[in-house]
Amino acid sequence: GNQVTFVTLQYPQTITFGVLADKTYGDEDFTVSATASSGLAVTFSSSDPAVATVTGGNVHIVKAGTTQIIASQPGNTTYSAAPVVPQLLTIGKDTLLVTADDTARIYGEANPVFAMSYSGFHFTDTPEDLDVLPQAASATGDSTDTGVYPITVSGGSDNNYVLTYAAGSLTVRKALLSVAAQDTSRIYGQVNPVFRLTYAGFKNQDSPDSLDVAAITTTPADSASATGIYPIVPAGAG
């Protein structure tokens, strides 16, 4: 009979790939799945491996951002390649808590460098990985009175974290002030002179007049005391 030619066409196929749930930076790896109408295995890829990578059906989050997870099936001798199906993957920032560490200093000294603690880092992240480091500060100076004052944190930012802050406390403690009575003398039968004091340890422009309670001096000697050496005792300052 007459000879005829013909071409056998591959069957078409489609992929069913559902919408992906939003993720947060730091979430564990997760799997994706899709089915092809042909029953052939579906493969996956990421449009932006800097945001997320895909190995097999396992998705690993790299950083916050968006990427498309693309499902594909290249076909075989029986089925033609399926149209690829992309699904958007959105990875949001996680929360990072930055807390100012409590510390203390002595009245009259400069503030120390305030340290901060971090809670919420993922993977191998450290403060050095932040885009902008936060800063800790206190509205106190070397002349600030003793007491407890807040240390506030602000100013940081990062692509992968939303920074939240918790204040610490700076305790300004009393400085040590030494008060010494100066040696003096008088003649037997006379009244005691006005005893003089010397001070060591005043800060800033403070002086004896800055004390809330002035120092006083006492001695067991009076005008009737026999000749000899008697102690002059300073006390009472506050």
Side-chain angles (χ1 to χ4, degrees):
N2 294 333
Q3 195 174 49
V4 297
T5 61
F6 61 92
V7 176
T8 56
L9 299 177
Q10 294 166 300
Y11 288 114
Q13 61 172 329
T14 58
I15 295 173
T16 302
F17 184 23
V19 174
L20 299 176
D22 292 345
K23 296 292 182 178
T24 301
Y25 177 74
D27 284 351
E28 295 181 351
D29 293 357
F30 63 97
T31 58
V32 291
S33 62
T35 58
S37 58
S38 63
L40 298 174
V42 176
T43 59
F44 301 92
S45 61
S46 172
S47 65
D48 189 351
V51 174
T53 59
V54 187
T55 303
N58 187 71
V59 180
H60 172 69
I61 293 171
V62 178
K63 69 177 184 179
T66 59
T67 185
Q68 288 186 328
I69 305 300
I70 302 167
S72 58
Q73 212 306 307
N76 58 13
T77 56
T78 303
Y79 290 92
S80 60
V84 298
V85 179
Q87 291 291 359
L88 182 67
L89 174 62
T90 300
I91 302 167
K93 296 181 179 183
D94 199 8
T95 299
L96 180 68
L97 175 63
V98 187
T99 304
D101 294 345
D102 295 341
T103 189
R105 66 167 175 82
I106 301 300
Y107 168 75
E109 295 180 353
N111 286 335
V113 176
F114 298 122
M116 293 168 285
S117 300
Y118 297 82
S119 176
F121 274 126
H122 295 293
F123 310 119
T124 58
D125 292 345
T126 67
E128 286 70 27
D129 295 310
L130 297 176
D131 297 331
V132 179
L133 283 170
Q135 302 294 320
S138 177
T140 57
D142 56 7
S143 60
T144 301
D145 289 340
T146 57
V148 179
Y149 302 88
I151 304 170
T152 58
V153 187
S154 63
S157 65
D158 188 68
N159 179 67
N160 292 320
Y161 298 97
V162 175
L163 274 62
T164 60
Y165 306 111
S169 63
L170 170 65
T171 301
V172 180
R173 296 174 177 161
K174 292 183 178 184
L176 179 64
L177 181 67
S178 298
V179 185
Q182 293 183 357
D183 296 339
T184 187
S185 64
R186 67 167 173 81
I187 302 299
Y188 168 74
Q190 293 181 349
V191 297
N192 291 332
V194 175
F195 298 125
R196 298 184 180 277
L197 299 172
T198 58
Y199 298 82
F202 274 124
K203 307 289 186 178
N204 305 315
Q205 303 301 315
D206 293 341
S207 69
D209 293 336
S210 305
L211 296 175
D212 297 327
V213 180
I216 60 173
T217 55
T218 59
T219 181
D222 58 23
S223 59
S225 298
T227 58
I229 298 175
Y230 298 85
I232 304 169
V233 181

